[in-house]
Amino acid sequence: MPADKDCLFCRIIAGDIPCQRIYEDEHTFAFMDINPASTGHALIIPREHARTIHELSPEALAATALSAQKVATAVRDTLTPDGINLLQCNEPAAGQTVFHFHLHVIPRSKGDGLALGWPISPGDMDAVAGLAARLRTRLNG
Ligand code: AMP
Ligand code: ZN
């Protein structure tokens, strides 16, 4: 039984929808992305259903991060890419299309042209400092 019957990734975990599974443990599940950004693009998900990082339990987040490290290391050792990106999207504005928290492992090669970067331009340091102060208050009281 999927944890959420309307969720694609819960249905993959439950075996209702096929996938190329590469790893699973008590708290997490990993499989190949069906629309790979590059050769070896994999996804790591918690068994716990959560829409974004904000709803996910700290325990499930930690377990997913540990599994992502295992997968990234296996991808590095198997495919010897020049580099690897970890990517995680929250809400459509950030590119999220499947609403079950997941981490992407995306192998990279020099000059592959994948558009995951942004142009480097200096920030307004007064604005950055003001925002840092607001965040420090939020985080530390
Ligand atoms: P995001 O845009 O961060 O929400 O990423 C969702 C990812 O899930 C995309 O890279 C999709 O290609 C991938 N995806 C969607 N459906 C499937 C599926 N049935 N099996 C494997 N990957 C999928
Ligand atoms: Zn789900």
Side-chain angles (χ1 to χ4, degrees):
M1 265 293 268
D4 179 335
K5 65 177 174 33
D6 299 321
C7 170
L8 173 65
F9 286 176
C10 284
R11 295 182 67 201
I12 285 179
I13 292 169
D16 292 354
I17 293 175
C19 74
Q20 290 298 328
R21 181 178 54 84
I22 54 173
Y23 179 75
E24 63 181 313
D25 61 25
E26 187 183 352
H27 299 294
T28 69
F29 190 96
F31 55 105
M32 303 308 286
D33 197 294
I34 204 170
N35 308 301
S38 64
T39 302
H41 183 172
L43 300 171
I44 300 90
I45 60 179
R47 291 184 185 276
E48 176 184 308
H49 176 84
R51 177 182 171 96
T52 72
I53 194 170
H54 305 296
E55 293 84 20
L56 189 63
S57 71
E59 296 75 19
L61 177 60
T64 308
L66 291 174
S67 293
Q69 186 185 43
K70 286 195 174 82
V71 170
T73 300
V75 165
R76 181 197 64 186
D77 294 348
T78 306
L79 299 172
T80 58
D82 296 324
I84 292 177
N85 283 118
L86 256 62
L87 176 70
Q88 196 271 313
C89 308
N90 300 286
E91 302 297 350
Q96 187 175 14
T97 59
V98 176
F99 298 98
H100 178 129
F101 176 91
H102 50 280
L103 287 172
H104 296 258
V105 167
I106 304 175
R108 300 297 303 273
S109 42
K110 286 188 196 109
D112 63 15
L114 266 184
L116 297 178
W118 51 87
I120 300 292
S121 65
D124 172 342
M125 282 305 128
D126 288 340
V128 170
L131 180 55
R134 287 172 61 198
L135 290 171
R136 269 194 301 277
T137 301
R138 172 78 193 179
L139 287 162
N140 307 306

